[in-house]
Amino acid sequence: MSLKTVWNFLKSKFFWINILVAVILVFAIAGISLVSLGQFTHHGETIIVPDLHGFYPEEAEVVLKKNGLAYEVVDSVYVRDKLPGEVIEQVPAANTPVKLGRKVYLTINASSKKQIALPDLRNFPARQAKATLEAMGFRVEKIDYTPSEYPDLVMEVKAGGVAVVPGSKITDGASLTLVVGERAIGETAYTPDLKGMNAAAAEAAITEYRFVPGAVEYDETLTNTTDKSAFFVYRQTPAAGSAYETGRRIDIWLTTDESKLSQQQEQNDTHLEEDFFN
């Protein structure tokens, strides 16, 4: 094909009509594509995300569907003052403009309460123990005082009226009672007669008389299979009926030998208290 033929074709009406048709088709296709894409992606259409805090997921679903939105529960955490299953967090946040059909991610309150291990607060000052427990999420509802040689120190922690062993798991927010030592300076009382009692009964009697349970010594070796209830008090110091300052401790000796009950206990063996611990 000669150069003259090509030049005559480029100047022909047929060529320019085809160019014009091609340009029109390109613009038409581009316009249709943009309009279709806008309709498909809802370009320019926004929905304001409703506030779902305090709703249950089923309630949130109804509200979101009315607004053309969807939801998904993605996590659960425990918040003490919220109801189980209640929405406590949402993404996107309330009042955020989003596209139609957007999914809202929800975090709900866990149905079971968190369990917290109780720290060992024995011998802690009462004020420090109270602050520690409250910082952990517990409530110190009451402080009970009991005779002790070491006043204002925590002797035990109770939950529901029962002493709790350190390390035990307690429900977050539970109400606790601190048992704190108290010494009534200058007050005296007569020591109870503990002979023949088992250890539990003797300790209860000691506390009732506003004394403190002291050391316990068994006259036989204890093993894992030994029944402690089979032992009974055959000796105590100070002796029964002694005038003694309240808040002081009373030590007891236990035996399974009933013949020791008939033996006369020395009336003045308070000095053995120091020997017992040395």
Side-chain angles (χ1 to χ4, degrees), residues 147-148 183-189 209-211 244-248:
S148 173
R183 184 171 182 179
I185 300 176
E187 293 185 15
T188 59
Y209 280 75
R210 296 185 59 77
F211 298 110
Y244 200 43
E245 187 178 0
T246 55
R248 300 290 299 277

Side-chain angles (χ1 to χ4, degrees), residues 105-117:
Y105 299 98
L106 305 178
T107 299
I108 63 173
N109 196 30
S111 57
S112 58
K113 293 185 177 182
K114 182 170 59 175
Q115 300 290 309
I116 304 174

